[in-house]
Amino acid sequence: MKAKATLKQIAKELNVSVSTVSKALNDSPEISELTKIKIKEYAKLKNYKPNVIGLNLKNRKTKTIGVIIPNILNSFFAKVFSGIEKIADKKGYNVIMCISNESLEKEAHTLEMLSNGTIDGFILSVSEEAQKLHEYNHFKEIINDGTPIVMFDRIAEGVECDKVVVDDFDSALNSTQRLIDLGCKNIALFSSVDNLSVGKLRAEGYLKALEKNNIAVNPNLIIRTDSEDDLKDKIEKIFDNNTIDGIFALEENDSVAALRIAIKKGFKVPEEISIIGFADGILASRRLSPSLTTVSQHGIEIGEVAAKLLINRLESKEENLPYETVVIKTKLKERESTRKL
């Protein structure tokens, strides 16, 4: 028996998009008669038969959203997912969640697998490996084929789609400024997310705050790495060899490590050292003593906004709806790890 061709195979062979093939096979007036004839004849030659998972974005909806998160253990992503699910449920959509485990290959494979008619659109945060390599073609291909994507938190610059981000630069600047206002003069920066877009923006905010206050940058107080284990090793040494009275940590695990190692080294928190960290989970706020002052990223709100953007695009009758980038403002939640020195 001759194998049936898929829309993607036909599109690839004729060097056109999947949506063009789909429209041609459905007699869309958007496609020229010559192109329609060419595509229909080729489809017949290749034994193409329409099926329920064929991409026909105009006429068929699965009412299902694909969500791809990089890390299931991160409480921030769990909160974002709960926000997505809340809106999806309200609007009558199902949600399929997949985990890239920070892998470019797994991320690309998941996109390709689910975009073959299983889902109507994606909400995702870019994997660490994709950001590290600046490899974003897999997103562009999916969007070009007619499946919309909404990116949140970690985004791909240069990919045109809807995006939801927090004010990483401003919130880092304001948090560092808060430490300065509390009387801190030797503020360390701890980051295990330096290869991510969010990590770079937060580090820039810290440096800008020092510059605005005429505080010289001390490279010995700055740890920028892409590994939590590497960060912990370096934190141990930084406490032994430097004077530190403030810490700004750029991720939840970085924040927890900073607090625990400071206490282990004999520092009184917050009497001798103040600590602020990016965190959105109960670990930082309830399970640590002293409790940690944090930059809250409003994960649930990010998920809700991302879901609304995607569903609005899926249900819009407008052909060329302009892309939006929504910036969610963070909030500094002061707890026991900061006090005026």
Side-chain angles (χ1 to χ4, degrees):
M1 184 185 287
K2 197 196 295 184
K4 292 178 184 178
T6 65
L7 287 175
K8 281 192 174 184
Q9 286 167 347
I10 296 169
K12 188 176 180 182
E13 289 294 325
L14 297 179
N15 199 26
V16 295
S17 71
V18 171
S19 60
T20 297
V21 175
S22 178
K23 287 174 182 176
L25 293 174
N26 285 281
D27 278 320
S28 169
E30 295 175 46
I31 308 300
S32 71
E33 287 304 315
L34 194 64
T35 303
K36 282 184 196 175
I37 292 166
K38 180 181 174 185
I39 289 172
K40 284 179 180 179
E41 286 183 352
Y42 189 82
K44 188 176 180 181
L45 179 71
K46 291 296 181 180
N47 197 33
Y48 171 76
K49 296 284 189 301
N51 57 59
V52 292
I53 62 167
L55 281 176
N56 185 348
L57 301 174
K58 284 285 183 196
N59 304 318
R60 193 191 62 79
K61 298 288 183 186
T62 66
K63 297 286 279 187
T64 303
I65 293 169
V67 178
I68 306 176
I69 63 172
N71 182 348
I72 198 170
L73 299 176
N74 189 310
S75 60
F76 167 69
F77 292 125
K79 286 192 173 185
V80 174
F81 183 73
S82 70
I84 293 169
E85 215 171 28
K86 178 183 171 184
I87 298 301
D89 188 54
K90 192 183 289 185
K91 297 281 190 178
Y93 282 75
N94 298 308
V95 180
I96 295 175
M97 184 176 77
C98 299
I99 301 144
S100 69
N101 278 330
E102 307 289 9
S103 161
L104 169 61
E105 184 181 1
K106 190 165 185 186
E107 182 176 71
H109 173 71
T110 303
L111 280 168
E112 186 173 2
M113 176 181 68
L114 293 181
S115 68
N116 196 23
T118 305
I119 54 92
D120 295 334
F122 289 101
I123 298 172
L124 60 88
S125 189
V126 180
S127 68
E128 180 180 339
E129 190 177 13
Q131 285 211 320
K132 199 170 186 177
L133 298 173
H134 300 286
E135 178 51 66
Y136 304 134
N137 284 336
H138 51 307
F139 301 126
K140 293 176 183 176
E141 286 170 6
I142 295 297
I143 294 166
N144 289 340
D145 283 347
T147 304
I149 290 176
V150 177
M151 295 182 178
F152 71 88
D153 190 48
R154 305 181 199 169
I155 61 173
E157 295 295 341
V159 176
E160 292 190 357
C161 64
D162 294 309
K163 294 165 184 171
V164 186
V165 295
V166 298
D167 56 338
D168 286 294
F169 176 85
D170 287 342
S171 55
L173 188 154
N174 294 334
S175 298
T176 308
Q177 184 64 54
R178 180 61 182 151
L179 288 170
I180 294 167
D181 293 343
L182 291 172
C184 300
K185 292 180 172 58
N186 301 290
I187 302 169
L189 176 83
F190 295 164
S191 172
S192 67
V193 289
D194 199 51
N195 53 335
L196 301 179
S197 55
V198 292
K200 290 180 171 65
L201 285 168
R202 293 169 192 174
E204 287 169 16
Y206 159 87
L207 294 169
K208 187 65 178 177
L210 297 186
E211 181 191 317
K212 283 180 69 176
N213 290 273
N214 297 312
I215 297 173
V217 176
N218 181 351
N220 296 326
L221 300 185
I222 296 174
I223 304 174
R224 298 178 67 174
T225 179
D226 56 10
S227 158
E228 285 177 25
D229 291 336
D230 186 34
L231 180 78
K232 286 173 186 173
D233 290 341
K234 288 178 176 175
I235 289 176
E236 293 268 358
K237 293 167 188 165
I238 213 171
F239 277 117
D240 293 334
N241 303 315
N242 298 278
T243 301
I244 302 172
D245 55 17
I247 298 171
F248 181 44
L250 304 195
E251 199 267 341
E252 183 156 31
N253 289 329
D254 303 348
S255 310
V256 173
L259 180 62
R260 286 180 170 161
I261 295 171
I263 291 169
K264 177 182 157 188
K265 292 289 183 181
F267 283 87
K268 292 178 182 174
V269 181
E271 292 83 358
E272 296 173 330
I273 192 167
S274 287
I275 303 172
I276 295 177
F278 265 85
D280 223 16
I282 60 171
L283 181 64
S285 59
R286 297 182 203 165
R287 294 185 183 165
L288 295 176
S289 181
S291 58
L292 192 62
T293 294
T294 59
V295 181
S296 176
Q297 297 162 270
H298 302 298
I300 292 173
E301 185 183 349
I302 289 172
E304 290 177 355
V305 171
K308 286 174 185 174
L309 280 174
L310 180 60
I311 292 169
N312 182 46
R313 183 166 293 281
L314 291 172
E315 297 183 350
S316 173
K317 290 181 169 57
E318 192 176 331
E319 280 289 323
N320 298 303
L321 196 65
Y323 292 120
E324 286 185 63
T325 295
V326 179
V327 180
I328 306 293
K329 293 289 181 184
T330 54
K331 184 179 180 183
L332 187 65
K333 292 188 177 178
E334 298 223 31
R335 299 189 182 92
E336 296 166 349
S337 70
T338 49
R339 196 179 102 185
K340 195 149 189 163
L341 299 176

